[in-house]
Amino acid sequence: MNDLATVFSAEGVFAATIPGYRARVQQLELANAIGQTIESRGVLIAEAGTGTGKTLAYLAPALLHGGKVIISTGTKNLQDQLYRRDLPTVRNALKVPAMVALLKGRANYVCHYHLERAREEGRFMSREDVAHLELVNRFAESSRSGDKAELHGVAEDANIWRHVTSSRENCLGGDCPHHKKCFVLEARKKALEADIVVVNHHLFFADVWLRDEGVAELLPACNTVIFDEAHQLPETAGLFFGETLTTGQLVELARDARLEGIQSCKDYAALPESAQKLDKAARDLRLIFKEDSGRWPLEKVSSRHGFEAAFIDAGTALDELVAHLETQAQRAPGLESCWQRGRELANMYAKWQGPAPAESVRWVEAFSHALGFNTTPLSVAEIFKKQIDGSARAWIFTSATLSVKGDFSHYRKQLGLMEATSSSWDSPFDYDQQAMLYVPPDMPEPNTPVYTNAVVEAALPVIAASKGRAFMLFTSLRAMKEAHDLLRQAFELKSLDYPILMQGEQSRTELLERFRQLGNAVLLGSQSFWEGVDVKGEALSLVVIDKLPFAPPDDPVLAARISHINQSGGNAFMEYQLPHAVITLKQGAGRLIRDEADRGVLMICDPRLLSKPYGRRIWQSLPPMRRSRKLKEVLDFFARES
């Protein structure tokens, strides 16, 4: 392998070709550790503080070593950035002729068959859907990839996408009349031919478990798997190593069966009637829950008035539709596909009514238009360890937040990586000079009704001193919305003229772009703004966190895990809840200092940081900032900046 020390040196190819590149000791050490792991086909857990430059640190050895590499990222946005920006930059700098491919789940690609069906069925669409449909149709005719992220005129969450993309359930496979020009198959073909393939965690686990999205074909020939943003893996793995059935799947099956019936068996009136019956039963089941959203253990749901009867009705309607589809399945590939989907859903439905598998939890989640019925394992460690042990390849797990004060035991236990090598590299930033941690005095307990009001009151003078330029991060949507109203009133009362932005008003990308452009805004966010958000420079100089991010103990999966750990003789709070909160807090705190020139204040309002015995363990896990409880010292910090 080429000498990494030369590549990463102040006189090396990165310094010569990448604007703003600086040689960092931590980056070279990390790159060497990754290179050695690739050579030895080992397992490495690598925590690299913000600013270490971990992307270059894993791309260089991955490209220089050769062989086939799968890189899995936390989000599709990061996936696109890696594929379109970072990989070409490093490949060109190193002059390595590696082939690179991007692979996403099939729901990200336009499906010619379902697009054609949607155009034929047009009458069920809104005016916006009709306009979007025409844009998608033109895109499908001209695009080489069919990746919906490339169609900028239609939002990624637009309603039209569910009508013009395929799913594992409704793909016709080799029977599809458009099989030869399928965008999904083309993406998979390129991935098989490539040296470096960029996927995301959801796709990786969906495929490893379901063997459907193209990654399973890649793995046998793969020498190295690199997980970036690896702190997300335990939760993502839990989603896929369990089982989920939704009323949305029933509604979609009913819709597709009706459309296929209209197309291929107009003489069989029982089919659309049965599909309509399932559609109504699935929607009626959702209506048992008045809440817009929520998560409950099965025991609490079963006792709800009307739930059991509605659940049985939906199951009966599903069985009836499957029976009708079986009689017509031979008439067209689309009907055959619906029948197979129906059988699979009916099997899942029957399983959910039986006893739960050992060491798993059954729970129900309500979304705005659907219900999810979930079976989730209490631990994914054993299942995941089998994936690692079953192959002689290198596995690299990297993120800025994997340990608690350098202790990786929580992360190791979650993924069964007890034998893995682990190392931590501190950020090269000078936190003592660049940042201050402020914990305001006299805050009420976080569970009191006046708490959010106290957070806003304490934050106001700091926001004024920072001239806006602030993120306010909340542990719940309810607190975020309450703070939004309080902040508006306070700004009017005190004549503070800073724009207020809030999660949900626009897409995350659009909000961040507005935040950067405005230069003096206050952005309120919940879970999705705690990580994966990068605002360098003066636009962000203050991060306010309302509470320590302990997951709600009444969450059905967490409650079951807590009970399981405690019953096994462990201490769930110290072994699971506290490490999880520390890693989440480190992610939120990491939004503040993104560059050597950044300066700012991290304000954590929760008094438990100082009043509870575990508080010390939390703040010692944060970057080494100056600490203060005095507002005047914070105001002086900002005064020195101006």
Side-chain angles (χ1 to χ4, degrees), residues 344-620:
E344 194 175 320
L345 288 171
N347 286 337
M348 288 169 71
Y349 214 90
K351 267 168 69 179
W352 215 79
Q353 290 170 289
E359 296 199 352
S360 67
V361 55
R362 285 252 168 89
W363 56 286
V364 175
E365 183 166 17
F367 305 98
S368 52
H369 299 295
L371 279 183
F373 300 94
N374 307 281
T375 305
T376 303
L378 296 179
S379 169
V380 299
E382 198 175 319
I383 308 167
F384 191 74
K385 189 174 185 299
K386 280 181 185 170
Q387 294 295 331
I388 302 287
D389 293 346
S391 60
R393 65 174 62 93
W395 296 83
I396 290 142
F397 303 81
T398 185
S399 168
T401 54
L402 294 172
S403 77
V404 178
K405 259 185 75 182
D407 179 359
F408 291 89
S409 56
H410 173 64
Y411 190 75
R412 288 173 182 279
K413 281 180 190 171
Q414 284 186 292
L415 291 179
L417 302 174
M418 304 314 290
E419 308 301 318
T421 302
S422 60
S423 293
S424 190
W425 287 269
D426 291 335
S427 167
F429 298 154
D430 186 354
Y431 281 99
D432 188 52
Q433 292 300 311
Q434 290 180 250
M436 176 180 281
L437 170 61
Y438 172 52
V439 181
D442 306 320
M443 289 294 291
E445 286 301 306
N447 58 355
T448 54
V450 297
Y451 186 74
T452 302
N453 190 69
V455 168
V456 172
E457 282 295 316
L460 279 170
V462 188
I463 291 171
S466 70
K467 301 183 176 68
R469 305 185 299 159
F471 273 7
M472 296 187 74
L473 302 178
F474 295 87
T475 52
S476 72
L477 288 170
R478 184 189 299 168
M480 178 190 76
K481 288 172 181 172
E482 184 187 347
H484 180 258
D485 294 339
L486 291 166
L487 205 62
R488 277 200 182 285
Q489 293 165 24
F491 275 19
E492 284 178 27
L493 200 64
K494 296 180 183 290
S495 300
L496 293 173
D497 191 22
Y498 305 123
I500 301 175
L501 309 176
M502 184 171 71
Q503 176 183 325
E505 292 175 338
Q506 291 175 289
S507 74
R508 189 169 84 157
T509 305
E510 289 167 327
L511 278 175
L512 286 171
E513 192 53 42
R514 278 187 68 199
F515 182 83
R516 290 187 188 101
Q517 286 175 354
L518 287 164
N520 67 340
V522 179
L523 191 155
L524 285 76
S526 187
Q527 192 174 3
S528 66
F529 279 85
W530 283 67
E531 61 178 275
V533 174
D534 190 6
V535 180
K536 291 177 184 172
E538 293 185 356
L540 179 60
S541 296
L542 170 65
V543 172
V544 181
I545 291 176
D546 73 330
K547 294 180 186 178
L548 299 176
F550 288 107
D554 58 349
D555 178 89
V557 178
L558 179 60
R561 284 180 178 149
I562 290 170
S563 175
H564 179 70
I565 292 167
N566 289 338
Q567 285 174 11
S568 303
N571 181 330
F573 181 78
M574 295 304 290
E575 293 173 31
Y576 190 88
Q577 291 166 275
L578 182 61
H580 186 271
V582 169
I583 287 169
T584 306
L585 184 67
K586 283 168 72 175
Q587 279 291 330
R591 299 315 98 211
L592 182 64
I593 304 297
R594 308 296 299 174
D595 193 80
E596 281 96 340
D598 285 356
R599 289 182 84 252
V601 170
L602 172 65
M603 178 175 173
I604 301 177
C605 300
D606 197 324
R608 293 175 294 181
L609 196 63
L610 298 170
S611 66
K612 298 292 184 185
Y614 57 77
R616 182 181 180 85
R617 196 169 172 204
I618 295 175
W619 60 252
Q620 285 184 335

